[in-house]
Amino acid sequence: MKKEQVYFLWGDESYLIDKEIKDIHTRLRHNYGEVELLYLDGDEMSGRQLIENLQFTSLFCEQRMVVIKKPAFLGKGKRKAARNDELRKAVEEFLLQDMEDQTLVLTAEEHDNSNPLVKILDRQATVLQFKQASPQYITKWAQEECKRRGLKASAEVINLLSRSGQDMYYLENLIEKLSLMTMGGSLTVQDLEEELENKEETRVFALTDALLNRNLRSAFRAYNQLLEQGE
C-alpha cells in the first residue's frame, strides 16, 4: 500500500531533486502551516539513532519533514555492510508505523533493484526519477531564470547555456553572476563565453566531488572522461 507521506527521489540531477524537496515542503506548509524540516546524515548514525530521530515528535509544529540524502544503505556498496543492514531495518521498521504527522524523503543517485529497502519503497513510496535535464528543458528554465532577474538574453545566448553540458546548479550560479555583472541589462554571447567554463575543464572537480561523496559510478565516469582527454 502506498504511503502518501513517503517519497523516494532518485537520479543524477541534484538540482531537480532539491527543487522537488522544496516543493514538497511548500505543499506541506500550505496544508499544515509551520512544518519542521530536518536533514539527517544516514551514514553517520547507528540504526538506533536513526529510528530515534525518525520517531521524535516536535512539540512546536503539527508536521515534520525528514530528509535523508543519498545514504549508503540505499546503494550497492558493501562498505560497512552490517551498519547498512541495520539502517535499512530501522527505516523498514519506521515504515510500518503510523506516519500522519511526519513526511519522510529519501534520495539516491541510482535505483538499485537488488536493495531490499528500495523494493519496499517501490511498493510504498511515491517514487520519482530525475534524469539529467535535457537541452530543451534547460532552454525553458534558463529563459525563466533570466526573466526573473530582469536579464535580457537572446536565443543564441540561451542556446549556448542549454548546450553547455554544465549541471543546473552551475548554470543557476552563472546566470546570477551575469545578472549582477550586467546590472540586469542585456547579456551578450561574448559576456557568456568569457564566464562559461568548458565542461572538460571541470571534470577533475567532478572526480574529486564524486570521491568525497563516495559515489563510485560518478567517480569512474569522470575518471574515464579525463583519460579520454589525455589527462
Side-chain angles (χ1 to χ4, degrees):
M1 180 182 295
K2 292 285 184 182
K3 294 180 178 288
E4 294 183 359
Q5 289 174 280
V6 182
Y7 293 84
F8 178 39
L9 315 178
W10 69 278
D12 50 12
E13 189 53 81
S14 297
Y15 181 93
L16 295 179
I17 289 177
D18 289 344
K19 180 180 181 299
E20 182 63 25
I21 291 172
K22 291 177 183 177
D23 289 345
I24 293 170
H25 188 229
T26 298
R27 291 196 295 269
L28 289 173
R29 292 181 63 186
H30 177 77
N31 292 332
Y32 299 102
E34 192 62 31
V35 176
E36 179 185 2
L37 177 59
L38 176 66
Y39 283 83
L40 295 179
D41 187 341
D43 297 331
E44 297 299 328
M45 59 178 63
S46 66
R48 178 180 293 276
Q49 290 173 322
L50 177 57
I51 196 66
E52 287 177 353
N53 275 278
L54 289 174
Q55 292 178 336
F56 178 82
T57 302
S58 174
L59 298 176
F60 307 102
C61 299
E62 182 180 350
Q63 284 287 319
R64 188 166 181 255
M65 177 175 167
V66 178
V67 180
I68 307 177
K69 298 181 70 175
K70 302 179 183 178
F73 62 76
L74 283 179
K76 297 179 180 179
K78 295 182 179 179
R79 184 173 179 269
K80 298 182 179 179
R83 172 179 284 188
N84 288 339
D85 286 341
E86 181 185 356
L87 291 165
R88 276 195 291 266
K89 290 176 181 177
V91 176
E92 290 172 16
E93 178 184 339
F94 175 71
L95 292 175
L96 294 173
Q97 302 174 16
D98 181 14
M99 300 180 61
E100 289 184 1
D101 60 350
Q102 185 150 263
T103 295
L104 175 63
V105 180
L106 296 160
T107 79
E109 286 204 351
E110 298 178 282
H111 185 285
D112 178 11
N113 292 316
S114 64
N115 188 300
L117 179 54
V118 170
K119 293 178 180 178
I120 293 174
L121 292 172
D122 281 341
R123 295 194 301 270
Q124 297 189 12
T126 297
V127 181
L128 301 173
Q129 181 183 7
F130 295 88
K131 297 180 180 179
Q132 185 174 8
S134 66
Q136 293 77 16
Y137 182 95
I138 294 179
T139 293
K140 182 178 179 181
W141 169 82
Q143 289 172 336
E144 293 173 350
E145 290 296 309
C146 289
K147 182 179 180 181
R148 188 165 63 85
R149 293 172 174 80
L151 185 62
K152 298 177 182 178
S154 66
E156 188 177 4
V157 168
I158 295 296
N159 184 61
L160 185 57
L161 280 170
S162 65
R163 302 289 175 180
S164 67
Q166 295 287 2
D167 67 73
M168 294 180 72
Y169 268 121
Y170 172 89
L171 294 177
E172 181 184 52
N173 291 332
L174 178 61
I175 291 172
E176 179 67 20
K177 178 180 179 180
L178 291 168
S179 174
L180 295 173
M181 288 174 56
T182 60
M183 301 298 289
S186 297
L187 178 61
T188 67
V189 171
Q190 183 178 354
D191 292 332
L192 180 57
E193 288 179 338
E194 288 177 354
E195 298 296 329
L196 182 63
E197 293 180 4
N198 185 297
K199 187 169 184 180
E200 305 308 322
E201 296 173 353
T202 64
R203 298 291 190 199
V204 66
F205 299 108
L207 173 60
T208 54
D209 286 346
L211 290 172
L212 289 171
N213 290 324
R214 294 174 290 188
N215 187 320
L216 190 63
R217 181 184 179 188
S218 294
F220 270 116
R221 183 168 59 233
Y223 174 70
N224 287 325
Q225 289 166 340
L226 283 168
L227 288 181
E228 290 173 1
Q229 296 166 217
E231 298 292 338

